[in-house]
Amino acid sequence: MSFRTSVSEQYLVRGWNGMRYLVMGSASESNRYLRKTQFLRDRGRSGDSVRIQSSQMIRIDDEVQSSVSSTNPHHLVVMVNGIIGSANDWKYASEQFLKKLPGRVAVHRSQSNYLTLTFDGVDMMGERLAEEVKALVKNRPGLQSISFVAHSLGGLIARYAIGLLYEPPGRVVGLEPANFVTVATPHLGSRGHRQLPFLCGVPLLERSASLAAHFIVGRTGRHLFLTDSDGRKPPLLLQMVNDTDDIKFRSALTSFKRCVTYANADYDHMVGWRTSSIRRQHELPDRGVLLRNERYPHIVYMERREREISSSETSETSDLEEEMIRGLGQVPWERIDVSFSQSNQRFIAHSTIQVKTYWMNSDGADVIAHIIDRFLV
């Protein structure tokens, strides 16, 4: 998959929606591409075979331009939204990054997967994100390092993308990998084991959700509920915990100086504590030891675990989830647990942890501050 250009000319144009785009190609082509979607899908008879044709158009995020107007930061921060989300979901956080790290980072809120495009499947969205990042880096030759900050499904999209962007012996799209931060991401999927909390762990509801998810959220549903195995290959999320012949998922993750999970310990009705913190049930901290911090009142627990020692012993969950835990356990994750149990915004914790909309989710501001304060730049 590549961006094809007929000439080397690149220029800014304004689309029908008022947003600015970087167009690569001749001026005569620009209007034609502006009337097309950014990525075209060609589905096979089964509806699951997807080919991506990339257009010659990439949207430039305002944050990248504003952050480099007077300086030239060497560190690129790519922010990735979750399901049915958009770049606006990271508006507050991106502003805080630029405010607290002026001249040190260029922040780009990904534009390639939004609203119903997030139903297309983790692989397709990961490919779109990878192409977006490659085009961005190509047009900013001064960049030296890269970080990702992703919310919910965006964490899986980013994990797929960095596998595509990985370059041995340890670069990502030619840059030095620094921080890989996921926020309420279902790393282990959403199948069973109370991983989708609003189903209350009721077996019948969890089984029904697995069978029906793809009718609601398309291929993404199959990936999240691990129902995409075709008999020849395991489910995509299981493939993504190791390196494959084509994509170096684990090598890409371990190339980052920091890999961090921020997980809601309670009141997140979309993503369970275990799947977002990549833990087994017995590894979850006892609620009696959860602490409060004046500076970060909603950060209640932090741990750093080195690579897990591989073992063939049977664990409490000897299924696909256990295989994913073992695979992801080869990455030295920092696990940071969050609780909004005392907040009026606790029932929307999945959005509050990201500060998706400030007036509704402002209690998550200390979580964003914590991410920035610990960020390596």
Side-chain angles (χ1 to χ4, degrees):
M1 210 171 48
S2 62
F3 287 95
R4 301 181 298 277
T5 58
S6 56
V7 294
S8 58
E9 182 181 9
Q10 301 174 0
Y11 48 92
L12 282 171
V13 296
R14 188 172 293 275
W16 63 270
N17 54 2
M19 294 178 179
R20 288 171 295 172
Y21 293 87
L22 177 67
V23 175
M24 296 172 280
S26 64
S28 62
E29 295 178 318
S30 62
N31 288 334
R32 176 162 56 92
Y33 280 106
L34 285 173
R35 285 194 293 267
K36 290 185 177 181
T37 55
Q38 192 169 355
F39 292 89
L40 305 179
R41 290 171 289 175
D42 182 13
R43 297 187 180 276
R45 291 181 182 178
S46 67
D48 289 331
S49 177
V50 180
R51 178 176 61 85
I52 301 174
Q53 176 184 338
S54 53
S55 75
Q56 291 177 300
M57 182 170 65
I58 290 291
R59 178 178 162 190
I60 288 185
D61 187 20
D62 290 342
E63 274 65 41
V64 174
Q65 292 186 316
S66 65
S67 67
V68 297
S69 57
S70 57
T71 59
N72 189 22
H74 299 306
H75 192 126
L76 174 64
V77 180
V78 179
M79 294 183 155
V80 189
N81 59 269
I83 197 164
I84 322 180
S86 71
N88 282 338
D89 296 352
W90 280 116
K91 184 176 186 297
Y92 172 80
S94 64
E95 291 171 349
Q96 294 305 302
F97 263 90
L98 296 176
K99 179 180 178 180
K100 294 189 174 186
L101 301 172
R104 302 177 67 187
V105 296
V107 180
H108 176 71
R109 290 180 281 148
S110 174
Q111 315 291 331
S112 56
N113 299 294
Y114 57 91
L115 301 179
T116 56
L117 287 180
T118 60
F119 298 169
D120 289 341
V122 173
D123 51 355
M124 184 172 180
M125 291 185 286
E127 290 175 0
R128 287 199 290 245
L129 176 60
E131 290 298 329
E132 180 182 13
V133 172
K134 282 194 286 187
L136 186 66
V137 171
K138 181 179 179 180
N139 286 279
R140 299 221 59 82
L143 293 171
Q144 297 177 1
S145 56
I146 188 169
S147 293
F148 288 80
V149 181
H151 176 249
S152 194
L153 177 66
L156 298 177
I157 299 169
R159 277 175 49 199
Y160 195 98
I162 63 172
L164 293 172
L165 296 170
Y166 178 72
E167 301 170 5
R171 309 284 280 185
V172 170
V173 71
L175 305 177
E176 181 180 5
N179 309 270
F180 189 86
V181 180
T182 65
V183 181
T185 288
H187 288 285
L188 309 178
S190 303
R191 189 179 80 167
H193 305 301
R194 296 180 181 268
Q195 303 292 41
L196 194 59
F198 77 83
L199 298 178
C200 302
V202 178
L204 177 61
L205 293 180
E206 292 187 333
R207 286 194 297 270
S208 299
S210 294
L211 295 173
H214 66 283
F215 292 114
I216 303 171
V217 290
R219 295 179 71 248
T220 298
R222 293 189 184 276
H223 292 155
L224 287 175
F225 285 90
L226 313 179
T227 59
D228 57 307
S229 176
D230 60 4
R232 293 172 298 172
K233 291 184 177 181
L236 179 63
L237 295 194
L238 182 55
Q239 296 178 49
M240 287 171 56
V241 305
N242 298 300
D243 287 346
T244 68
D245 292 338
D246 301 322
I247 308 177
K248 306 304 180 185
F249 295 114
R250 185 189 295 177
S251 294
L253 269 179
T254 56
S255 69
F256 283 82
K257 293 178 181 177
R258 297 176 66 234
C259 287
V260 191
T261 67
Y262 282 80
N264 278 314
D266 44 32
Y267 289 98
D268 190 325
H269 303 299
M270 300 302 298
V271 178
W273 190 7
R274 289 196 298 117
T275 187
S276 55
S277 64
I278 317 176
R279 291 184 177 115
R280 302 171 180 88
Q281 183 64 36
H282 75 272
E283 294 172 335
L284 295 174
D286 190 303
R287 293 183 183 276
V289 303
L290 299 184
L291 305 174
R292 297 289 175 181
N293 184 307
E294 265 188 45
R295 186 171 182 182
Y296 313 108
H298 300 109
I299 302 295
V300 295
Y301 194 82
M302 294 186 294
E303 72 171 11
R304 177 178 175 82
R305 191 180 302 176
E306 296 305 319
R307 291 180 177 86
E308 186 175 286
I309 299 175
S310 297
S311 172
S312 58
E313 295 181 8
T314 302
S315 182
E316 60 193 68
T317 53
S318 56
D319 56 7
L320 295 176
E321 180 182 308
E322 176 62 22
E323 291 185 58
M324 288 187 284
I325 291 175
R326 290 178 179 176
L328 291 171
Q330 304 308 304
V331 178
W333 293 94
E334 294 176 37
R335 292 171 171 86
I336 300 171
D337 299 310
V338 177
S339 175
F340 296 103
S341 61
Q342 304 301 313
S343 166
N344 292 331
Q345 300 168 4
R346 59 186 177 276
F347 295 109
I348 50 174
H350 190 66
S351 296
T352 298
I353 195 173
Q354 180 195 18
V355 193
K356 183 175 182 178
T357 304
Y358 185 78
W359 67 271
M360 286 183 63
N361 311 119
S362 58
D363 283 359
D366 65 309
V367 178
I368 301 301
H370 190 271
I371 294 174
I372 298 171
D373 291 346
R374 297 173 67 88
F375 215 71
L376 296 179
V377 293

